[in-house]
Amino acid sequence: MNNNSLVTLSPEVGDAIERRLPIVAMESTIISHGMPYPQNAETAKNCERICRENGAVPATCAVIGGKICVGLTEEQIDYLGREGQKVTKASRRDLPMLIAKSMDGATTVAATMIAAALAGIRVFATGGIGGVHRGAETTMDISADLEELAETPVCVVCAGAKSILDLNLTMEYLETKGVPVIGYGTDELPAFYTRKSGIKVPWRSDAPEEIAEAIRASKELGYPGGMLVVNPIPEEYSMDADVINKAIDDAVEEAKKKGIKGKETTPFLLAKIKDLTGGESLVSNIQLVYNNVRLAARIAAKL
Ligand code: PSU
Ligand code: MN
């Protein structure tokens, strides 16, 4: 499958591709920019373990020394965790120059989808995706993740989107781009830390098998893009809506005051929210990622 000289498969992932075993891709910006050290590296390694326990081979992706690595060693995961925001946050627009300069980069949802697609991997688990930011009507801050979902055939399992984004506009954007959005066991878009947002999703599925069938159908229809499965955070880890929404509003306000822009916006907000909730948001964040890995592994197993 991998004839691309830019892509390096780990031995485990290479073997899984050859044997056509279920594989789940995972991103690395969530490690470097999404969580503090050492919880970030621990979470990434636990995700790999949970993935294996659920019958799929994990393929955490990053750019290391200018190579697109699909499947990382524990040392590489620790390195990304330790370096944190010193590593380049790499989205679609960053890959060519990171490769040209033989640099390292932690891949966002968009860049991880590209890596996964190059390796022939069709299912990807993460926490939250980027989207249309609040105030995008003046800043034009719309994550490249949305465009990637329209262009690259990978099914992304997430816990919805944080309300650091404008969730209504994010859904409108996905509708315009024709990206299938499927609520797993829900009719509503989950809001990452909470199970509900009040926004309807176009489709609901209660069966990983059915989602796998939709992935196959999308391919047969000749759709270029992927799809988005939104999986609510388990009840026991979901946060109080008032507490989290207040923290998010305060974080957005502070980012505006400080003039935080562009790719710094999402990492700034994530760190601020964690501080404002006294770390409670981090616990929820970690648990919802595990929950998404479990579902992604079950979908991959049905493909
Ligand atoms: N949302 C989260 N946690 C994250 C991210 C988003 O709840 O770690 C990361 C993901 O890697 C996502 C990226 O792809 O931020 C989006 O950044 P931007 O909005 O700059 O495209
Ligand atoms: Mn942006």
Side-chain angles (χ1 to χ4, degrees):
M1 189 73 224
N2 172 40
N3 306 313
N4 193 312
S5 65
L6 301 175
V7 177
T8 302
L9 303 176
S10 70
E12 186 188 12
V13 170
D15 175 68
I17 290 171
E18 222 158 83
R19 295 167 56 199
R20 312 189 104 247
L21 300 177
I23 308 175
V24 174
M26 296 183 224
E27 59 152 316
S28 45
T29 295
I30 191 176
I31 305 175
S32 60
H33 290 67
M35 292 181 192
Y37 183 76
Q39 289 94 334
N40 53 8
E42 275 163 26
T43 302
K45 287 183 265 181
N46 283 335
C47 281
E48 295 212 332
R49 178 177 50 76
I50 290 167
C51 187
R52 290 190 187 97
E53 284 168 5
N54 284 272
V57 171
T60 308
C61 299
V63 182
I64 306 282
K67 292 282 177 209
I68 297 179
C69 294
V70 178
L72 300 181
T73 62
E74 286 205 7
E75 289 70 33
Q76 288 171 326
I77 289 174
D78 283 328
Y79 161 75
L80 293 169
R82 244 184 297 112
E83 292 297 297
Q85 308 223 1
K86 277 184 262 166
V87 179
T88 304
K89 173 179 164 185
S91 193
R92 167 176 275 270
R93 60 116 190 248
D94 303 298
L95 294 180
M97 283 306 287
L98 284 175
I99 292 164
K101 288 180 182 288
S102 303
M103 283 173 64
D104 301 335
T107 50
T108 63
V109 169
T112 304
M113 288 177 73
I114 294 169
L118 284 171
I121 299 170
R122 291 151 78 188
V123 183
F124 165 12
T126 187
I129 58 159
V132 181
H133 276 265
R134 295 194 202 170
E137 60 277 18
T138 50
T139 63
M140 288 184 69
D141 190 348
I142 301 174
S143 174
D145 292 353
L146 298 183
E147 207 63 33
E148 206 62 52
L149 282 162
E151 279 177 32
T152 301
V154 175
C155 172
V156 179
V157 180
C158 71
K162 290 194 173 74
S163 50
I164 58 173
L165 304 174
D166 187 318
L167 299 183
N168 278 300
L169 293 188
T170 300
M171 290 301 285
E172 291 294 344
Y173 198 100
L174 290 168
E175 179 175 354
T176 301
K177 291 291 175 176
V179 176
V181 179
I182 304 160
Y184 182 68
T186 181
D187 301 299
E188 245 185 74
L189 176 70
F192 199 84
Y193 300 114
T194 56
R195 294 171 60 85
K196 289 184 180 304
S197 65
I199 301 167
K200 288 264 168 287
V201 283
W203 288 99
R204 171 189 178 130
S205 180
D206 298 329
E209 168 82 75
E210 193 176 59
I211 296 170
E213 191 56 47
I215 294 171
R216 279 190 288 268
S218 173
K219 185 175 182 196
E220 270 188 47
L221 287 164
Y223 284 10
M227 58 180 68
L228 188 65
V229 174
V230 293
N231 184 29
I233 183 171
E235 192 79 62
E236 64 268 39
Y237 298 110
S238 79
M239 292 184 69
D240 181 88
D242 293 337
V243 170
I244 190 64
N245 289 333
K246 167 91 172 63
I248 289 172
D249 288 345
D250 291 352
V252 170
E253 195 50 45
E254 183 161 344
K256 217 189 281 169
K257 248 189 244 150
K258 288 205 159 135
I260 309 284
K261 280 201 203 70
K263 69 194 285 192
E264 270 80 51
T265 304
T266 302
F268 176 87
L269 293 172
L270 298 181
K272 199 76 223 166
I273 292 164
K274 187 203 133 239
D275 289 347
L276 290 172
T277 61
E280 197 195 332
S281 66
L282 182 59
V283 175
S284 297
N285 197 343
I286 291 169
Q287 290 299 328
L288 65 82
V289 177
Y290 295 162
N291 192 45
N292 295 340
V293 170
R294 275 179 224 114
L295 176 58
R298 292 172 63 199
I299 295 170
K302 299 288 182 194
L303 268 179

